[in-house]
Amino acid sequence: MSDLNHNPQTGSDADLESAFRTALKGRAAGVAAPGDFAPLAIARRRRDQRAKGAIGAVAFTAVLALAVPALASGDREVPVLPASTSGATGSVTTDPTPSTPPTTPPTTTATTTATAAAESTKSAQKQASSASSWAAGDRLHVGDRTIQLEPGTVVASFAVVDGGRIILDSSVGVDGPAELEVLDPTGRTLTSIEPWERGPGFAWSASPDGAKLLVSDGASLTIYATDGRKLATRPDARAAQAIVGGLAYASAPAASSTEPSLEWNYLTDEVRELPPGLRAVTQDGQRAAGYQIPPTKDGAKGCWVTYQLASPEDRDEHCVGWFFPMRFSEQGTYLIGGSSFDDGRGGLGNGVKNLAVVRVSDGSVVVGAESGDDQLLGWSLQVSADETSFLVSRRTTPLSDERVPNNTLARCTFDAQCDEVAPEQQGPRTWLGHYTVAR
Amino acid sequence: MADTDRDADFTAYVRARQHALSRFAYLLTGDPHSAEDLVQAALAKVYGAWDRIGQIEAPEAYIRRLIVNEHTSWWRRAWRHRERVDSDLITVMDPAAAVRAEHDGDLWAHIQTLTPRQRAAVVLRYYEDLSEAQTAEILGCSVGTVKSHTSRAIASLRLKMKEVVA
């Protein structure tokens, strides 16, 4: 190319072709392949085949399985997290939560309740993995594994489900096209859900056992097996909120909507209306939580509610206007939420939130506050499977600071003892964090 | 074919061709880890169909097509997920240690800005020295499309050179 540089504007095609040849052959000359590809390729092929088989088996088992739900309803007294956990210390550590071995396959029945019970038991494995997983920039940390995504990937939300598969909502760059995918445990894409965007009505929720994915796109609700098979679809503008067993739950995206929420049995196509604002369902499929703005009150002041799905009229109401529920903890003892209504994109939305955890039994706030010293600012939070601690992506610079925020990842007990899991980093843009905790 | 014979046959083929395939994949991807993942992904597919592919007199073109298509599919998906590859099946000599002029580094950087199909066409034409017809066969397109890919690559290089000089 040096000879071309003498006269770049008139370099002939032949000269440029020659330049390509020289550069390519020169580069290739430096490449060596000293390893042995064959056994790895054979192993990869066999693993891929096993993964395909396992996905089918999981989906089948989820429909027919029965197990006793292992609910241990804790009602522990835990103090409010103090003003700030910024005093968190400790070196960067890898996840301390060990993986839970797979449960024994349960025996069979075909009722929706039984399926939910099976999912509840199986979800212990899922939650253990999800509770110990986070994204740091363009890398996923899943247990003791690190998965490198495309450089520049921004993770909006993700979940680690049964069998180690990953549901990932992400984009390359902040403004890149969003993509919702199911990855195998190594990070390879099994299927991509389309269409997928970021906007009102677009939301996803994985079943507790990870076998099914409920997706909404603002016009329809669709249930996928996580191998990509479309199981059922229904024209409906409501946003996906939860799927447990054969029952899918959806509600209007807007917090102020009075449109009834939906329970859809996708196996029979029967539907039932539920109170507006449903946002979460326990993993045993028994209880729901939501947000309601009483029509007779000031729209700025709402209440979060929980109720038994079997009798929605009997509800517990807690009128703490700033708390918007998003999901239950593993055993249903706590509700995770925040100051801003979840937009369904995961975490608590892309923007920083005032995070909180409330106890379902009495409505008390155990982590976070509307304002003041107990306020916990961050992007995402997950309570551990045993409900003794939580992993949080925290904002460590005040909201008044309009520069790119600093962000740490910490694991905290409910008595405010925190260990830093990953060091402080800056987010990719002013409102984004570097770390995203798995759902 | 018995599994052991099949594995032995496949292994022998891979060992004979892995250097060439790795270089090809490296030129397409621009980094050794992606190249390794690409070669592994393609060879895993080849292994799955080895009973058929192994009977082809010259499976090389077929495998290169697999590699090109796999690489293109990564990009068509807007971005790709890669397995984290920590082994060193592919090594690349430190460019600083290689006998290489600085302007070749610039040209290499330019090649990496080409679209995957343009880059594949350039690599097949100017590294593998394949004819336009052979390149078209691997890319699964017409000869005219190959000409279009390479002429655009050359045009963009010429433009780049003008910018550098300006």
Side-chain angles (χ1 to χ4, degrees), chain A residues 2 11 13 25 30 32 35-36 44 46-47 170 172 181 187 189, chain B residues 15 18 23 37 47 77 79-81 83 89 91 93 103 127 129 158:
Chain A
S2 57
D13 282 3
K25 290 181 189 290
D36 192 347
R44 184 165 178 163
R46 288 173 177 160
R47 188 191 63 209
S170 64
V172 173
E181 295 175 293
T189 302
Chain B
R15 286 177 179 163
Q18 66 182 36
R23 288 175 172 177
D37 191 25
Y47 177 72
R77 296 177 51 72
W79 53 277
R80 64 190 187 275
H81 301 290
E83 284 196 48
L89 292 182
T91 61
M93 188 190 305
H103 50 257
Y127 170 70
D129 290 325
R158 182 175 286 120

PDB file of all heavy atoms in Angstrom, chain A residues 2 11 13 25 30 32 35-36 44 46-47 170 172 181 187 189, chain B residues 15 18 23 37 47 77 79-81 83 89 91 93 103 127 129 158:
ATOM      1  N   SER A   2       2.135   1.108   0.360  1.00  0.00           N
ATOM      2  CA  SER A   2       2.966   2.293   0.412  1.00  0.00           C
ATOM      3  C   SER A   2       3.127   2.929  -0.962  1.00  0.00           C
ATOM      4  O   SER A   2       3.090   4.145  -1.097  1.00  0.00           O
ATOM      5  CB  SER A   2       4.342   1.949   0.979  1.00  0.00           C
ATOM      6  OG  SER A   2       4.942   0.933   0.198  1.00  0.00           O
ATOM      7  N   GLY A  11      -4.678   5.330  -7.770  1.00  0.00           N
ATOM      8  CA  GLY A  11      -4.323   3.924  -7.643  1.00  0.00           C
ATOM      9  C   GLY A  11      -5.293   3.074  -8.439  1.00  0.00           C
ATOM     10  O   GLY A  11      -6.503   3.212  -8.306  1.00  0.00           O
ATOM     11  N   ASP A  13      -7.339  -0.292  -9.867  1.00  0.00           N
ATOM     12  CA  ASP A  13      -7.982  -1.417  -9.189  1.00  0.00           C
ATOM     13  C   ASP A  13      -6.980  -2.537  -8.958  1.00  0.00           C
ATOM     14  O   ASP A  13      -6.982  -3.181  -7.912  1.00  0.00           O
ATOM     15  CB  ASP A  13      -9.151  -1.942 -10.026  1.00  0.00           C
ATOM     16  CG  ASP A  13     -10.384  -1.041  -9.897  1.00  0.00           C
ATOM     17  OD1 ASP A  13     -10.278   0.004  -9.202  1.00  0.00           O
ATOM     18  OD2 ASP A  13     -11.426  -1.374 -10.479  1.00  0.00           O
ATOM     19  N   LYS A  25      -2.576 -11.740   3.188  1.00  0.00           N
ATOM     20  CA  LYS A  25      -1.628 -12.849   3.304  1.00  0.00           C
ATOM     21  C   LYS A  25      -0.640 -12.594   4.440  1.00  0.00           C
ATOM     22  O   LYS A  25      -0.206 -13.515   5.136  1.00  0.00           O
ATOM     23  CB  LYS A  25      -0.912 -13.075   1.967  1.00  0.00           C
ATOM     24  CG  LYS A  25      -1.859 -13.642   0.900  1.00  0.00           C
ATOM     25  CD  LYS A  25      -1.147 -13.876  -0.416  1.00  0.00           C
ATOM     26  CE  LYS A  25      -2.143 -14.236  -1.532  1.00  0.00           C
ATOM     27  NZ  LYS A  25      -2.751 -15.543  -1.397  1.00  0.00           N
ATOM     28  N   GLY A  30       0.613 -14.780  10.200  1.00  0.00           N
ATOM     29  CA  GLY A  30       0.852 -14.745  11.643  1.00  0.00           C
ATOM     30  C   GLY A  30      -0.103 -15.613  12.444  1.00  0.00           C
ATOM     31  O   GLY A  30      -0.016 -15.666  13.667  1.00  0.00           O
ATOM     32  N   ALA A  32      -1.644 -19.097  13.718  1.00  0.00           N
ATOM     33  CA  ALA A  32      -1.331 -20.515  13.877  1.00  0.00           C
ATOM     34  C   ALA A  32      -2.469 -21.185  14.622  1.00  0.00           C
ATOM     35  O   ALA A  32      -3.191 -20.547  15.388  1.00  0.00           O
ATOM     36  CB  ALA A  32      -0.029 -20.679  14.644  1.00  0.00           C
ATOM     37  N   GLY A  35      -3.714 -25.961  18.473  1.00  0.00           N
ATOM     38  CA  GLY A  35      -4.569 -26.863  19.239  1.00  0.00           C
ATOM     39  C   GLY A  35      -5.210 -27.931  18.380  1.00  0.00           C
ATOM     40  O   GLY A  35      -4.916 -28.052  17.189  1.00  0.00           O
ATOM     41  N   ASP A  36      -6.087 -28.688  18.996  1.00  0.00           N
ATOM     42  CA  ASP A  36      -6.771 -29.764  18.282  1.00  0.00           C
ATOM     43  C   ASP A  36      -8.267 -29.458  18.257  1.00  0.00           C
ATOM     44  O   ASP A  36      -8.958 -29.586  19.260  1.00  0.00           O
ATOM     45  CB  ASP A  36      -6.514 -31.091  18.988  1.00  0.00           C
ATOM     46  CG  ASP A  36      -6.947 -32.283  18.138  1.00  0.00           C
ATOM     47  OD1 ASP A  36      -7.658 -32.061  17.127  1.00  0.00           O
ATOM     48  OD2 ASP A  36      -6.579 -33.424  18.466  1.00  0.00           O
ATOM     49  N   ARG A  44     -18.771 -30.262  21.103  1.00  0.00           N
ATOM     50  CA  ARG A  44     -19.734 -29.168  20.947  1.00  0.00           C
ATOM     51  C   ARG A  44     -20.998 -29.650  20.240  1.00  0.00           C
ATOM     52  O   ARG A  44     -22.107 -29.292  20.612  1.00  0.00           O
ATOM     53  CB  ARG A  44     -19.073 -28.041  20.161  1.00  0.00           C
ATOM     54  CG  ARG A  44     -19.928 -26.797  20.001  1.00  0.00           C
ATOM     55  CD  ARG A  44     -19.044 -25.660  19.553  1.00  0.00           C
ATOM     56  NE  ARG A  44     -19.795 -24.436  19.322  1.00  0.00           N
ATOM     57  CZ  ARG A  44     -19.226 -23.231  19.242  1.00  0.00           C
ATOM     58  NH1 ARG A  44     -17.933 -23.105  19.398  1.00  0.00           N
ATOM     59  NH2 ARG A  44     -19.940 -22.160  19.021  1.00  0.00           N
ATOM     60  N   ARG A  46     -22.179 -32.658  20.229  1.00  0.00           N
ATOM     61  CA  ARG A  46     -22.949 -33.525  21.124  1.00  0.00           C
ATOM     62  C   ARG A  46     -23.634 -32.715  22.208  1.00  0.00           C
ATOM     63  O   ARG A  46     -24.759 -33.013  22.614  1.00  0.00           O
ATOM     64  CB  ARG A  46     -22.021 -34.583  21.731  1.00  0.00           C
ATOM     65  CG  ARG A  46     -21.609 -35.622  20.687  1.00  0.00           C
ATOM     66  CD  ARG A  46     -20.585 -36.589  21.172  1.00  0.00           C
ATOM     67  NE  ARG A  46     -20.305 -37.596  20.130  1.00  0.00           N
ATOM     68  CZ  ARG A  46     -19.219 -38.331  20.089  1.00  0.00           C
ATOM     69  NH1 ARG A  46     -18.288 -38.208  21.040  1.00  0.00           N
ATOM     70  NH2 ARG A  46     -19.054 -39.208  19.128  1.00  0.00           N
ATOM     71  N   ARG A  47     -22.957 -31.692  22.694  1.00  0.00           N
ATOM     72  CA  ARG A  47     -23.569 -30.845  23.713  1.00  0.00           C
ATOM     73  C   ARG A  47     -24.778 -30.098  23.142  1.00  0.00           C
ATOM     74  O   ARG A  47     -25.820 -29.975  23.779  1.00  0.00           O
ATOM     75  CB  ARG A  47     -22.537 -29.831  24.235  1.00  0.00           C
ATOM     76  CG  ARG A  47     -23.030 -29.033  25.435  1.00  0.00           C
ATOM     77  CD  ARG A  47     -22.080 -27.899  25.713  1.00  0.00           C
ATOM     78  NE  ARG A  47     -22.044 -26.989  24.593  1.00  0.00           N
ATOM     79  CZ  ARG A  47     -20.998 -26.241  24.262  1.00  0.00           C
ATOM     80  NH1 ARG A  47     -19.891 -26.315  24.958  1.00  0.00           N
ATOM     81  NH2 ARG A  47     -21.054 -25.424  23.251  1.00  0.00           N
ATOM     82  N   SER A 170     -31.548  -7.119  25.489  1.00  0.00           N
ATOM     83  CA  SER A 170     -30.354  -6.274  25.397  1.00  0.00           C
ATOM     84  C   SER A 170     -30.273  -5.602  24.037  1.00  0.00           C
ATOM     85  O   SER A 170     -31.104  -5.821  23.157  1.00  0.00           O
ATOM     86  CB  SER A 170     -29.105  -7.121  25.628  1.00  0.00           C
ATOM     87  OG  SER A 170     -28.976  -8.070  24.595  1.00  0.00           O
ATOM     88  N   VAL A 172     -27.045  -3.624  21.350  1.00  0.00           N
ATOM     89  CA  VAL A 172     -25.651  -3.207  21.209  1.00  0.00           C
ATOM     90  C   VAL A 172     -25.642  -1.690  21.205  1.00  0.00           C
ATOM     91  O   VAL A 172     -26.224  -1.057  20.325  1.00  0.00           O
ATOM     92  CB  VAL A 172     -25.020  -3.751  19.918  1.00  0.00           C
ATOM     93  CG1 VAL A 172     -23.632  -3.152  19.731  1.00  0.00           C
ATOM     94  CG2 VAL A 172     -24.922  -5.255  19.978  1.00  0.00           C
ATOM     95  N   GLU A 181     -33.846 -12.646  23.650  1.00  0.00           N
ATOM     96  CA  GLU A 181     -33.354 -13.951  23.226  1.00  0.00           C
ATOM     97  C   GLU A 181     -33.337 -14.944  24.371  1.00  0.00           C
ATOM     98  O   GLU A 181     -33.273 -14.561  25.540  1.00  0.00           O
ATOM     99  CB  GLU A 181     -31.920 -13.825  22.700  1.00  0.00           C
ATOM    100  CG  GLU A 181     -31.795 -13.010  21.451  1.00  0.00           C
ATOM    101  CD  GLU A 181     -30.355 -12.847  21.068  1.00  0.00           C
ATOM    102  OE1 GLU A 181     -29.620 -12.183  21.807  1.00  0.00           O
ATOM    103  OE2 GLU A 181     -29.968 -13.410  20.056  1.00  0.00           O
ATOM    104  N   GLY A 187     -24.182 -19.229  26.659  1.00  0.00           N
ATOM    105  CA  GLY A 187     -24.374 -17.922  26.054  1.00  0.00           C
ATOM    106  C   GLY A 187     -24.695 -17.980  24.575  1.00  0.00           C
ATOM    107  O   GLY A 187     -24.850 -16.943  23.934  1.00  0.00           O
ATOM    108  N   THR A 189     -27.055 -18.389  21.414  1.00  0.00           N
ATOM    109  CA  THR A 189     -28.462 -18.088  21.198  1.00  0.00           C
ATOM    110  C   THR A 189     -29.228 -19.328  20.766  1.00  0.00           C
ATOM    111  O   THR A 189     -28.867 -19.991  19.799  1.00  0.00           O
ATOM    112  CB  THR A 189     -28.605 -17.001  20.121  1.00  0.00           C
ATOM    113  OG1 THR A 189     -27.880 -15.853  20.541  1.00  0.00           O
ATOM    114  CG2 THR A 189     -30.068 -16.631  19.928  1.00  0.00           C
TER     115      THR A 189
ATOM    116  N   ARG B  15      -7.637 -32.122  11.440  1.00  0.00           N
ATOM    117  CA  ARG B  15      -6.228 -31.855  11.740  1.00  0.00           C
ATOM    118  C   ARG B  15      -5.459 -31.412  10.497  1.00  0.00           C
ATOM    119  O   ARG B  15      -4.526 -30.623  10.576  1.00  0.00           O
ATOM    120  CB  ARG B  15      -5.586 -33.092  12.365  1.00  0.00           C
ATOM    121  CG  ARG B  15      -6.031 -33.289  13.808  1.00  0.00           C
ATOM    122  CD  ARG B  15      -5.477 -34.531  14.433  1.00  0.00           C
ATOM    123  NE  ARG B  15      -5.937 -34.644  15.823  1.00  0.00           N
ATOM    124  CZ  ARG B  15      -5.888 -35.752  16.526  1.00  0.00           C
ATOM    125  NH1 ARG B  15      -5.392 -36.864  16.004  1.00  0.00           N
ATOM    126  NH2 ARG B  15      -6.327 -35.767  17.769  1.00  0.00           N
ATOM    127  N   GLN B  18      -7.205 -27.613   9.758  1.00  0.00           N
ATOM    128  CA  GLN B  18      -7.567 -26.608  10.762  1.00  0.00           C
ATOM    129  C   GLN B  18      -6.735 -25.334  10.651  1.00  0.00           C
ATOM    130  O   GLN B  18      -7.218 -24.249  10.974  1.00  0.00           O
ATOM    131  CB  GLN B  18      -7.488 -27.187  12.176  1.00  0.00           C
ATOM    132  CG  GLN B  18      -6.098 -27.566  12.649  1.00  0.00           C
ATOM    133  CD  GLN B  18      -6.162 -28.185  14.047  1.00  0.00           C
ATOM    134  OE1 GLN B  18      -7.099 -28.911  14.375  1.00  0.00           O
ATOM    135  NE2 GLN B  18      -5.163 -27.880  14.870  1.00  0.00           N
ATOM    136  N   ARG B  23      -7.080 -19.626   9.670  1.00  0.00           N
ATOM    137  CA  ARG B  23      -6.631 -18.388   9.018  1.00  0.00           C
ATOM    138  C   ARG B  23      -7.780 -17.716   8.287  1.00  0.00           C
ATOM    139  O   ARG B  23      -7.962 -16.510   8.352  1.00  0.00           O
ATOM    140  CB  ARG B  23      -5.484 -18.700   8.053  1.00  0.00           C
ATOM    141  CG  ARG B  23      -4.199 -19.038   8.773  1.00  0.00           C
ATOM    142  CD  ARG B  23      -3.107 -19.459   7.833  1.00  0.00           C
ATOM    143  NE  ARG B  23      -1.842 -19.586   8.549  1.00  0.00           N
ATOM    144  CZ  ARG B  23      -0.712 -20.000   8.023  1.00  0.00           C
ATOM    145  NH1 ARG B  23      -0.680 -20.330   6.741  1.00  0.00           N
ATOM    146  NH2 ARG B  23       0.380 -20.078   8.746  1.00  0.00           N
ATOM    147  N   ASP B  37     -14.178 -19.516  17.792  1.00  0.00           N
ATOM    148  CA  ASP B  37     -15.595 -19.845  17.987  1.00  0.00           C
ATOM    149  C   ASP B  37     -16.260 -20.159  16.653  1.00  0.00           C
ATOM    150  O   ASP B  37     -17.057 -21.093  16.527  1.00  0.00           O
ATOM    151  CB  ASP B  37     -16.293 -18.671  18.674  1.00  0.00           C
ATOM    152  CG  ASP B  37     -17.698 -19.028  19.142  1.00  0.00           C
ATOM    153  OD1 ASP B  37     -17.959 -20.223  19.374  1.00  0.00           O
ATOM    154  OD2 ASP B  37     -18.524 -18.115  19.258  1.00  0.00           O
ATOM    155  N   TYR B  47     -19.419 -31.928  11.652  1.00  0.00           N
ATOM    156  CA  TYR B  47     -19.392 -33.249  12.290  1.00  0.00           C
ATOM    157  C   TYR B  47     -20.786 -33.880  12.280  1.00  0.00           C
ATOM    158  O   TYR B  47     -20.940 -35.080  12.040  1.00  0.00           O
ATOM    159  CB  TYR B  47     -18.874 -33.130  13.722  1.00  0.00           C
ATOM    160  CG  TYR B  47     -18.898 -34.448  14.461  1.00  0.00           C
ATOM    161  CD1 TYR B  47     -17.997 -35.463  14.161  1.00  0.00           C
ATOM    162  CD2 TYR B  47     -19.850 -34.684  15.453  1.00  0.00           C
ATOM    163  CE1 TYR B  47     -18.038 -36.677  14.829  1.00  0.00           C
ATOM    164  CE2 TYR B  47     -19.897 -35.887  16.129  1.00  0.00           C
ATOM    165  CZ  TYR B  47     -18.988 -36.886  15.816  1.00  0.00           C
ATOM    166  OH  TYR B  47     -19.036 -38.092  16.462  1.00  0.00           O
ATOM    167  N   ARG B  77     -27.888 -10.791  12.912  1.00  0.00           N
ATOM    168  CA  ARG B  77     -28.651 -10.738  14.147  1.00  0.00           C
ATOM    169  C   ARG B  77     -28.366  -9.448  14.909  1.00  0.00           C
ATOM    170  O   ARG B  77     -28.746  -9.306  16.050  1.00  0.00           O
ATOM    171  CB  ARG B  77     -28.305 -11.937  15.023  1.00  0.00           C
ATOM    172  CG  ARG B  77     -28.705 -13.239  14.391  1.00  0.00           C
ATOM    173  CD  ARG B  77     -28.280 -14.394  15.241  1.00  0.00           C
ATOM    174  NE  ARG B  77     -28.738 -14.204  16.611  1.00  0.00           N
ATOM    175  CZ  ARG B  77     -29.997 -14.309  16.976  1.00  0.00           C
ATOM    176  NH1 ARG B  77     -30.917 -14.568  16.081  1.00  0.00           N
ATOM    177  NH2 ARG B  77     -30.341 -14.130  18.212  1.00  0.00           N
ATOM    178  N   TRP B  79     -26.094  -8.428  16.525  1.00  0.00           N
ATOM    179  CA  TRP B  79     -24.924  -8.713  17.324  1.00  0.00           C
ATOM    180  C   TRP B  79     -24.961 -10.185  17.687  1.00  0.00           C
ATOM    181  O   TRP B  79     -25.938 -10.856  17.509  1.00  0.00           O
ATOM    182  CB  TRP B  79     -24.833  -7.843  18.562  1.00  0.00           C
ATOM    183  CG  TRP B  79     -26.056  -7.866  19.413  1.00  0.00           C
ATOM    184  CD1 TRP B  79     -27.187  -7.127  19.221  1.00  0.00           C
ATOM    185  CD2 TRP B  79     -26.302  -8.659  20.556  1.00  0.00           C
ATOM    186  NE1 TRP B  79     -28.096  -7.414  20.186  1.00  0.00           N
ATOM    187  CE2 TRP B  79     -27.581  -8.333  21.019  1.00  0.00           C
ATOM    188  CE3 TRP B  79     -25.542  -9.608  21.243  1.00  0.00           C
ATOM    189  CZ2 TRP B  79     -28.132  -8.923  22.139  1.00  0.00           C
ATOM    190  CZ3 TRP B  79     -26.097 -10.190  22.365  1.00  0.00           C
ATOM    191  CH2 TRP B  79     -27.369  -9.843  22.794  1.00  0.00           C
ATOM    192  N   ARG B  80     -23.919 -10.648  18.215  1.00  0.00           N
ATOM    193  CA  ARG B  80     -23.849 -12.085  18.448  1.00  0.00           C
ATOM    194  C   ARG B  80     -23.419 -12.385  19.885  1.00  0.00           C
ATOM    195  O   ARG B  80     -22.828 -11.566  20.563  1.00  0.00           O
ATOM    196  CB  ARG B  80     -22.840 -12.717  17.495  1.00  0.00           C
ATOM    197  CG  ARG B  80     -21.412 -12.221  17.731  1.00  0.00           C
ATOM    198  CD  ARG B  80     -20.507 -12.686  16.616  1.00  0.00           C
ATOM    199  NE  ARG B  80     -19.115 -12.378  16.883  1.00  0.00           N
ATOM    200  CZ  ARG B  80     -18.542 -11.232  16.612  1.00  0.00           C
ATOM    201  NH1 ARG B  80     -19.248 -10.260  16.104  1.00  0.00           N
ATOM    202  NH2 ARG B  80     -17.278 -11.027  16.874  1.00  0.00           N
ATOM    203  N   HIS B  81     -23.770 -13.573  20.285  1.00  0.00           N
ATOM    204  CA  HIS B  81     -23.286 -14.064  21.561  1.00  0.00           C
ATOM    205  C   HIS B  81     -22.213 -15.099  21.263  1.00  0.00           C
ATOM    206  O   HIS B  81     -22.391 -15.942  20.420  1.00  0.00           O
ATOM    207  CB  HIS B  81     -24.420 -14.711  22.341  1.00  0.00           C
ATOM    208  CG  HIS B  81     -25.532 -13.753  22.583  1.00  0.00           C
ATOM    209  ND1 HIS B  81     -25.406 -12.705  23.438  1.00  0.00           N
ATOM    210  CD2 HIS B  81     -26.764 -13.666  22.058  1.00  0.00           C
ATOM    211  CE1 HIS B  81     -26.535 -12.019  23.442  1.00  0.00           C
ATOM    212  NE2 HIS B  81     -27.367 -12.578  22.610  1.00  0.00           N
ATOM    213  N   GLU B  83     -19.493 -17.944  22.775  1.00  0.00           N
ATOM    214  CA  GLU B  83     -18.992 -18.668  23.921  1.00  0.00           C
ATOM    215  C   GLU B  83     -17.698 -18.006  24.333  1.00  0.00           C
ATOM    216  O   GLU B  83     -16.922 -17.545  23.496  1.00  0.00           O
ATOM    217  CB  GLU B  83     -18.698 -20.117  23.536  1.00  0.00           C
ATOM    218  CG  GLU B  83     -19.931 -20.941  23.406  1.00  0.00           C
ATOM    219  CD  GLU B  83     -19.596 -22.416  23.420  1.00  0.00           C
ATOM    220  OE1 GLU B  83     -18.841 -22.845  24.305  1.00  0.00           O
ATOM    221  OE2 GLU B  83     -20.073 -23.101  22.536  1.00  0.00           O
ATOM    222  N   LEU B  89      -6.574 -22.243  20.877  1.00  0.00           N
ATOM    223  CA  LEU B  89      -6.489 -23.066  19.678  1.00  0.00           C
ATOM    224  C   LEU B  89      -5.941 -22.254  18.514  1.00  0.00           C
ATOM    225  O   LEU B  89      -5.344 -22.798  17.599  1.00  0.00           O
ATOM    226  CB  LEU B  89      -7.875 -23.619  19.319  1.00  0.00           C
ATOM    227  CG  LEU B  89      -8.479 -24.646  20.289  1.00  0.00           C
ATOM    228  CD1 LEU B  89      -9.811 -25.141  19.778  1.00  0.00           C
ATOM    229  CD2 LEU B  89      -7.529 -25.807  20.502  1.00  0.00           C
ATOM    230  N   THR B  91      -3.623 -18.895  17.669  1.00  0.00           N
ATOM    231  CA  THR B  91      -2.752 -17.833  18.159  1.00  0.00           C
ATOM    232  C   THR B  91      -2.390 -16.923  16.995  1.00  0.00           C
ATOM    233  O   THR B  91      -2.308 -17.361  15.847  1.00  0.00           O
ATOM    234  CB  THR B  91      -1.461 -18.389  18.784  1.00  0.00           C
ATOM    235  OG1 THR B  91      -0.753 -19.125  17.778  1.00  0.00           O
ATOM    236  CG2 THR B  91      -1.777 -19.296  19.954  1.00  0.00           C
ATOM    237  N   MET B  93       0.361 -13.979  15.871  1.00  0.00           N
ATOM    238  CA  MET B  93       1.633 -13.343  16.189  1.00  0.00           C
ATOM    239  C   MET B  93       1.402 -11.873  16.500  1.00  0.00           C
ATOM    240  O   MET B  93       0.588 -11.213  15.850  1.00  0.00           O
ATOM    241  CB  MET B  93       2.584 -13.470  14.986  1.00  0.00           C
ATOM    242  CG  MET B  93       4.007 -13.022  15.260  1.00  0.00           C
ATOM    243  SD  MET B  93       4.963 -12.944  13.725  1.00  0.00           S
ATOM    244  CE  MET B  93       4.756 -14.581  13.080  1.00  0.00           C
ATOM    245  N   HIS B 103       1.486   0.728   7.030  1.00  0.00           N
ATOM    246  CA  HIS B 103       0.321   0.948   6.176  1.00  0.00           C
ATOM    247  C   HIS B 103      -0.494  -0.322   5.981  1.00  0.00           C
ATOM    248  O   HIS B 103      -1.673  -0.265   5.706  1.00  0.00           O
ATOM    249  CB  HIS B 103       0.746   1.532   4.829  1.00  0.00           C
ATOM    250  CG  HIS B 103       1.863   0.787   4.174  1.00  0.00           C
ATOM    251  ND1 HIS B 103       3.155   1.257   4.176  1.00  0.00           N
ATOM    252  CD2 HIS B 103       1.900  -0.388   3.532  1.00  0.00           C
ATOM    253  CE1 HIS B 103       3.937   0.392   3.522  1.00  0.00           C
ATOM    254  NE2 HIS B 103       3.193  -0.594   3.131  1.00  0.00           N
ATOM    255  N   TYR B 127      -7.293 -13.433  -0.815  1.00  0.00           N
ATOM    256  CA  TYR B 127      -6.461 -14.286   0.044  1.00  0.00           C
ATOM    257  C   TYR B 127      -6.476 -15.716  -0.467  1.00  0.00           C
ATOM    258  O   TYR B 127      -5.436 -16.333  -0.669  1.00  0.00           O
ATOM    259  CB  TYR B 127      -6.921 -14.231   1.504  1.00  0.00           C
ATOM    260  CG  TYR B 127      -6.240 -15.287   2.349  1.00  0.00           C
ATOM    261  CD1 TYR B 127      -4.880 -15.177   2.638  1.00  0.00           C
ATOM    262  CD2 TYR B 127      -6.935 -16.397   2.820  1.00  0.00           C
ATOM    263  CE1 TYR B 127      -4.234 -16.161   3.374  1.00  0.00           C
ATOM    264  CE2 TYR B 127      -6.307 -17.376   3.561  1.00  0.00           C
ATOM    265  CZ  TYR B 127      -4.949 -17.255   3.835  1.00  0.00           C
ATOM    266  OH  TYR B 127      -4.303 -18.223   4.552  1.00  0.00           O
ATOM    267  N   ASP B 129      -7.474 -16.553  -3.337  1.00  0.00           N
ATOM    268  CA  ASP B 129      -7.223 -16.510  -4.788  1.00  0.00           C
ATOM    269  C   ASP B 129      -8.231 -17.336  -5.573  1.00  0.00           C
ATOM    270  O   ASP B 129      -7.895 -18.008  -6.551  1.00  0.00           O
ATOM    271  CB  ASP B 129      -5.786 -16.970  -5.109  1.00  0.00           C
ATOM    272  CG  ASP B 129      -4.762 -15.959  -4.636  1.00  0.00           C
ATOM    273  OD1 ASP B 129      -5.039 -14.743  -4.694  1.00  0.00           O
ATOM    274  OD2 ASP B 129      -3.676 -16.382  -4.193  1.00  0.00           O
ATOM    275  N   ARG B 158     -10.279   3.183  -1.712  1.00  0.00           N
ATOM    276  CA  ARG B 158      -9.769   4.361  -2.425  1.00  0.00           C
ATOM    277  C   ARG B 158     -10.223   5.649  -1.727  1.00  0.00           C
ATOM    278  O   ARG B 158      -9.444   6.576  -1.531  1.00  0.00           O
ATOM    279  CB  ARG B 158     -10.246   4.333  -3.875  1.00  0.00           C
ATOM    280  CG  ARG B 158      -9.727   5.502  -4.703  1.00  0.00           C
ATOM    281  CD  ARG B 158     -10.102   5.387  -6.169  1.00  0.00           C
ATOM    282  NE  ARG B 158      -9.314   4.370  -6.863  1.00  0.00           N
ATOM    283  CZ  ARG B 158      -9.809   3.308  -7.458  1.00  0.00           C
ATOM    284  NH1 ARG B 158     -11.106   3.074  -7.423  1.00  0.00           N
ATOM    285  NH2 ARG B 158      -9.019   2.452  -8.076  1.00  0.00           N
TER     286      ARG B 158
END
